[in-house]
Amino acid sequence: MERNNQYCPKCGKANSFINEGTDEQLSATTHEQTYEGNPSLEEEIYDYIQDDKGYYARKWEKSATRNGISFNIFAFLFGPFWLGYRKMYLFVFLFSLVWLVMDFLLYLSGYTYNLANLLAFENDPVDQVISVVTFVLIGFFGNKLYKKHAIRHVKKTRATTPNYENRLTIYKKKGGASWLGVLFSFLILIGAYVIPTQFIPLNVSPIDEVQYAVYDEEENINLHDMFEVVFDKGEWTFIQTVDKTDYVDFNGELTIDQETHEVTFHFANSDDYEDIDILSVSVDNEELDVYDSSDFLDYIYDLYQEQ
């Protein structure tokens, strides 16, 4: 019996696949060469997809006149995890590398991160933009990526496995969707992006490095938290950098027994040392010695604890 070459035997939709590498519609000869036991390339692509065949047939048909663009809401919402769900692990890896390269370029460009956001586990604005753009791209081009992925795997399988029944077994194993693939995509992101990015330094402002230095490790209290509570009209100022050492001042008003005092801290932060140094403390323009400066900071800490 002559086959109907105008419609897909799996879903009833008109044939609309784009042949990878030529961007031309699959010719009717593909179906003319079809005989029982050896389906066409397009039929086997449906075998590879397994589920949601009608959905992808409609999307690919529409995208044929839109430069391959069609929107997939799940691809947009879940991004690389949707890619993993559809077993497109190579694309998960490639997007991980893109993110890694973007982080490295931000470092080279001197982009400065807000340390307060990092400590609060809040996303940096630029990182948010990169993430949103990535998810939007996957949302609009995910279907096209999946088509290329399916065509490539089916062509490879047809070239290496002559028997159709054997190919079906391969499609059931390597095609379709998998929740385990979501886990695999998560592991790929960890291995190809999260772990490597830990070795890329972050550019943080000298003021942030000083004001967010931890004073009490047990209570996880930093200088910013202390000074924010104890002082009025507090202001941090970057002075200069000399020989890889940043000099930062803090000026604020401290009220003791209804008297207001002008207080200035002089800090030094060197790349050669882990701790922040207090060079001196001035109260009403009178500089305290090293020991009194340390005691005064302890006094500020006690005031903070009382409030």
Side-chain angles (χ1 to χ4, degrees), residues 38-234:
N38 189 27
S40 68
L41 172 64
E42 186 168 347
E43 291 179 276
E44 291 196 28
I45 290 174
Y46 283 114
D47 291 331
Y48 182 86
I49 294 173
Q50 298 180 31
D51 55 1
D52 295 328
K53 301 172 184 177
Y55 171 82
Y56 286 105
R58 292 191 300 273
K59 289 294 184 179
W60 291 339
E61 181 181 6
K62 291 180 179 179
S63 66
T65 58
R66 301 177 182 176
N67 296 320
I69 300 175
S70 63
F71 187 70
N72 186 317
I73 184 62
F74 295 105
F76 168 69
L77 292 176
F78 301 104
F81 300 107
W82 174 82
L83 294 173
Y85 178 70
R86 281 291 164 182
K87 301 183 180 180
M88 292 186 282
Y89 307 122
L90 175 61
F91 290 112
V92 178
F93 178 73
L94 292 177
F95 275 110
S96 298
L97 290 185
V98 169
W99 285 348
L100 188 64
V101 170
M102 291 300 296
D103 281 354
F104 186 65
L105 292 178
L106 287 174
Y107 166 70
L108 293 180
S109 69
Y111 176 75
T112 301
Y113 283 86
N114 187 316
L115 192 54
N117 290 342
L118 297 178
L119 294 174
F121 298 101
E122 297 178 359
N123 287 334
D124 179 82
V126 172
D127 287 343
Q128 285 182 328
V129 170
I130 294 174
S131 297
V132 169
V133 170
T134 300
F135 278 68
V136 169
L137 289 175
I138 295 177
F140 278 99
F141 292 95
N143 293 328
K144 182 176 182 179
L145 293 178
Y146 188 43
K147 181 177 69 175
K148 290 182 176 294
H149 169 82
I151 292 175
R152 182 173 64 251
H153 279 271
V154 170
K155 283 185 174 181
K156 180 179 179 181
T157 303
R158 285 165 65 94
T160 57
T161 309
N163 184 273
Y164 173 60
E165 294 300 325
N166 291 340
R167 294 201 298 270
L168 277 181
T169 301
I170 295 174
Y171 298 152
K172 290 179 180 179
K173 180 180 179 180
K174 295 186 176 182
S178 170
W179 289 107
L180 189 60
V182 177
L183 175 61
F184 288 159
S185 66
F186 176 78
L187 295 177
I188 292 172
L189 288 172
I190 294 295
Y193 173 68
V194 176
I195 293 178
T197 198
Q198 303 304 312
F199 297 95
I200 300 177
L202 294 177
N203 297 312
V204 180
S205 73
I207 291 179
D208 279 358
E209 289 189 340
V210 173
Q211 70 174 330
Y212 290 106
V214 176
Y215 180 78
D216 185 337
E217 293 184 358
E218 292 184 1
E219 299 290 337
N220 195 29
I221 298 172
N222 56 52
L223 296 177
H224 173 270
D225 295 336
M226 290 170 48
F227 290 1
E228 187 77 12
V229 171
V230 175
F231 291 97
D232 295 322
K233 299 180 181 179

Side-chain angles (χ1 to χ4, degrees), residues 7-24:
Y7 299 92
C8 170
K10 300 289 184 178
C11 69
K13 296 294 294 184
N15 291 327
S16 58
F17 283 105
I18 305 300
N19 196 357
E20 185 181 34
T22 64
D23 286 341
E24 297 177 355

